[in-house]
Amino acid sequence: MSKFIINGGKPLSGKIAVSGAKNSALKIIPAALLSKQALTISNLPEIEDVERSFEVLEDLGAKIFRNGQEARIEPEGIKKTELNTKLADKFRGSVMFVGPLLARFGEVKFPHPGGCVIGAGGRPIDLFLEGYRAFGAEIEEVPGKFYDIKAEQLHAADYFFPFVSVTATESMMMAASIIPGTTVLKNCAMEPEIEALAGYLNTQGAKIKGAGTPTLIIEGQKEINAGNFKVIPDRIETGSFAILAAAANADLEITDCNPEHILTLLNILKKIGVDFSVGSDWIKVQKGRRPLRAHDIKTHEYPGFATDLQSPYVVLMTQAQGTALIHETIYDRRLLWTDMLSQMGANITMCDPHRIVVQGPTPLYGKRLMSPDLRAGIALVIAALIAQGLTEIDNIYQIDRGYEKLEERLRGLGADIERAE
Ligand code: EPU
């Protein structure tokens, strides 16, 4: 297993560029299945989850030509409709192939997707299954083994999501774009990645209205084209770097980003005393007076406070004056990692699985740790960078899943961080 060795407390400054968004890339790659034509993707993040996604697509029979952050996908060769179990087991994003395969071929067989263990019950996919049934599909489930979905004739659906889900919204939106009839989806997620995906599909002949609002109206087309897609900037990386700058009290310029996508975070940073300025695609965080002021957060679907930014924010609150209540509303197991932050010296009280109280400011000290998942992993890196002494973070595959060449980019800011086997 690879690990990071971080010698904390070094002054940080300079520029850091944001990569393409993991959670946009992981949807556009399966979207290649919706058309017979070739799709070219640019600004792809070079991360493990994207590699896994290409492996799934290649296993299905697509041809993929990669050149760093660009890829061309030729889907003509796809005949297979069964997802490889070993590959699908590695990441939650594998579930994104199911909707397009079903819509295009009328059948799909797949195992329960893997990925970060942050939700109760192994991160259920009940919403997806309910959605496919609404399209007229029949589902056979062999528990613990696979789902086998078939449909003689898929039809448009009028579907209300019982709760908001990003990937379920995207999955049904993609499928509906080539299922005959007018599908109406209500209580949809509104994340920018969904708008980007809908925008691309519309330029290729799909008829999707309402992306970025709770109601999607989709007129299914017989066929859609494929073309060029530029992955949008990663808003979670953007927010994580802004939080790093605030926590390390560093002068940092974050480039190639879209500040509009993290307005909730920026609003809070302003309230707690972080000095920064914003342009159309950059954020400059300036050194300022410390300590910052503690501020409560409650995670929420977009445009609320992103659950994926909760963990870096908890680290920031260890450096702020006062008490912050952190309420995680999206996932059941996403605060458990804070035990490691307590081992580093943070003063954290767990109220229940969804709420912690952070009392700051407290100095943090280097420790030997293990990254339990992607977002907890980046939070531990931020904590290690501001801690006194040496921190070892094991299992950094979890970090590599979503952050491209992180150690190189952080070294560019003056961080003392090495990768070791
Ligand atoms: N849920 C169900 N049943 C379902 C689907 C979801 O119970 O069929 C639950 C989840 O367990 C969770 C809640 O619904 O408690 C909301 O989850 P959602 O479905 O919105 O999450 P997701 O679509 O699986 C995407 C991102 C996550 C991000 C969430 C919330 C991708 C590939 N993943 O997940 O990203 O946290 O939306 O914004 O887009 C990450 O990047 O680290 C990550 C986990």
Side-chain angles (χ1 to χ4, degrees), residues 272-395:
I272 67 176
V274 180
D275 294 325
F276 63 90
S277 50
V278 167
S280 63
D281 63 354
W282 53 263
I283 301 168
K284 278 186 200 163
V285 181
Q286 286 114 35
K287 265 186 184 169
R289 227 165 355 111
R290 290 296 185 269
L292 301 168
R293 290 180 289 279
H295 192 281
D296 299 347
I297 57 153
K298 189 173 178 179
T299 63
H300 196 278
E301 293 86 8
Y302 190 84
F305 194 99
T307 169
D308 295 341
L309 285 173
Q310 169 257 105
S311 52
Y313 186 80
V314 171
V315 177
L316 182 60
M317 286 301 98
T318 68
Q319 304 308 302
Q321 179 81 50
T323 306
L325 173 69
I326 311 292
H327 189 169
E328 169 57 55
T329 66
I330 309 287
Y331 292 111
D332 294 330
R333 298 168 59 85
R334 228 184 193 181
L335 286 170
L336 300 183
W337 73 277
T338 57
D339 183 48
M340 279 185 263
L341 202 53
S342 298
Q343 289 175 38
M344 294 179 81
N347 184 351
I348 293 176
T349 308
M350 182 155 284
C351 314
D352 60 48
H354 284 276
R355 289 177 304 162
I356 58 167
V357 170
V358 186
Q359 177 75 49
T362 47
L364 300 177
Y365 301 96
K367 272 270 165 195
R368 292 185 70 168
L369 306 164
M370 168 89 82
S371 173
D373 65 67
L374 172 64
R375 304 306 175 187
I378 190 74
L380 293 177
V381 169
I382 295 173
L385 289 171
I386 61 171
Q388 295 166 28
L390 214 61
T391 298
E392 278 189 32
I393 304 175
D394 220 320
N395 193 27

